[in-house]
Amino acid sequence: ARKLAMWWLVTTAALAVLVPLDGPPVLNSPVYSLATLNDDGSTNMQILTYATPIGIAPRRTWALSLYRPTRTHANFASRRSGVLQLLTEEHVGLMHVLGGQSGADVDKAAACAQAGFGWVDAPEQCVTDGTWPADGPQLLPGCAAYLRLVQEDGDRLRAFGEHEMAVCRVEGMLEGL
């Protein structure tokens, strides 16, 4: 009887904290921005909702889900590379600029600069020692991490509804700038 009473107390307490929702739950998950290069060599950035590591050895591998039709999707499909930037709470004010607007309609670099996050080049030391390409996209300052991703050789984008998935190897990593 004592075990049954304990079970009832624990179960009742657990059920008391469950709350029905009218919509999908708000999740506390990482938020990323993907920096890519436009045809003219300028940088484009967009919020990237779906990104996950899928392998460690023999090399770090990530899967990205690219929304079509966006400039980021076109840039990645063309150049097969980009920089995945792990955003922090400091970047919350940039969500609409980077995720709710098109780079075709708004100057995202100017909007980020106005918000105090002017895009920057990779650190000179990383370019000089060859760990980061000199011709890569500019970066959003204040991110927790930066992953330079290159689509795997021979891999193609795979369609999943309004998104396409790219499997990428990590070619370089930087910590917050």
Side-chain angles (χ1 to χ4, degrees):
R2 184 179 177 142
K3 285 184 179 180
L4 182 60
M6 282 301 288
W7 174 85
W8 184 83
L9 282 172
V10 170
T11 304
T12 304
L15 291 175
V17 297
L18 297 177
V19 178
L21 298 174
D22 293 329
V26 177
L27 300 176
N28 185 8
S29 60
V31 178
Y32 301 97
S33 172
L34 184 64
T36 58
L37 289 174
N38 295 314
D39 289 337
D40 65 2
S42 63
T43 297
N44 179 68
M45 290 189 196
Q46 179 179 351
I47 294 297
L48 190 83
T49 307
Y50 307 114
T52 190
I54 58 172
I56 296 174
R59 64 179 77 179
R60 294 181 187 275
T61 308
W62 279 65
L64 304 179
S65 183
L66 305 162
Y67 182 66
R68 304 177 294 194
T70 62
R71 184 176 282 181
T72 298
H73 175 273
N75 290 347
F76 194 91
S78 172
R79 294 182 183 259
R80 301 175 56 88
S81 65
V83 176
L84 188 65
Q85 306 173 111
L86 176 56
L87 304 184
T88 67
E89 288 183 21
E90 294 177 359
H91 298 107
V92 71
L94 301 178
M95 293 303 106
H96 182 67
V97 170
L98 295 176
Q101 299 184 39
S102 170
D105 301 327
V106 67
D107 183 343
K108 292 184 178 189
C112 287
Q114 186 176 6
F117 292 96
W119 298 354
V120 298
D121 294 327
E124 185 62 36
Q125 178 185 354
C126 296
V127 173
T128 302
D129 69 15
T131 59
W132 207 263
D135 61 350
Q138 290 187 300
L139 306 172
L140 185 66
C143 292
Y146 304 84
L147 301 177
R148 187 166 62 88
L149 301 176
V150 176
Q151 190 173 2
E152 285 288 351
D153 294 334
D155 193 39
R156 59 177 176 70
L157 294 176
R158 294 175 184 89
F160 292 94
E162 72 281 356
H163 285 76
E164 287 190 330
M165 182 184 70
V167 175
C168 306
R169 66 183 177 275
V170 176
E171 290 286 325
M173 295 186 289
L174 298 174
E175 289 191 67
L177 300 177

